[in-house]
Amino acid sequence: MEFWKSMWGLLRRRYVGPPVVLLAVMAAAVTFALVPTHYVSRAFMVLATPAGGGTLSLDPSKPGGLTNRCSTSTTASRPPPAS
């Protein structure tokens, strides 16, 4: 509580309070002017073959295309299920 009383006392003084407020407003204006309003985002995606290799389904009733042997919930620490 003593800290805030001291801060309030300093800000009420004529030679401290107004310059601090003016400095804060100027810093905000400079920041507003210098920060760009248009941001550019870039991302890269690396596609890699799974460690166990991809497989193609030979069963015509299953959807075609390249599929992974393991489900998406498996992690590197768990081995793939036995076929």
Side-chain angles (χ1 to χ4, degrees):
M1 182 101 170
E2 188 68 32
F3 172 77
W4 293 113
K5 280 185 181 179
S6 300
M7 287 293 111
W8 182 246
L10 279 174
L11 289 176
R12 284 191 304 167
R13 292 186 183 194
R14 172 192 257 173
Y15 296 109
V16 177
V20 167
V21 171
L22 183 65
L23 183 65
V25 170
M26 286 176 35
V30 167
T31 302
F32 180 77
L34 293 180
V35 174
T37 57
H38 180 73
Y39 296 95
V40 177
S41 175
R42 293 190 177 101
F44 295 96
M45 183 184 298
V46 177
L47 301 175
T49 306
T55 59
L56 285 173
S57 174
L58 299 177
D59 186 5
S61 65
K62 292 184 180 176
L66 207 59
T67 60
N68 289 338
R69 190 177 265 191
C70 302
S71 69
T72 56
S73 64
T74 58
T75 61
S77 62
R78 284 191 347 204
S83 299

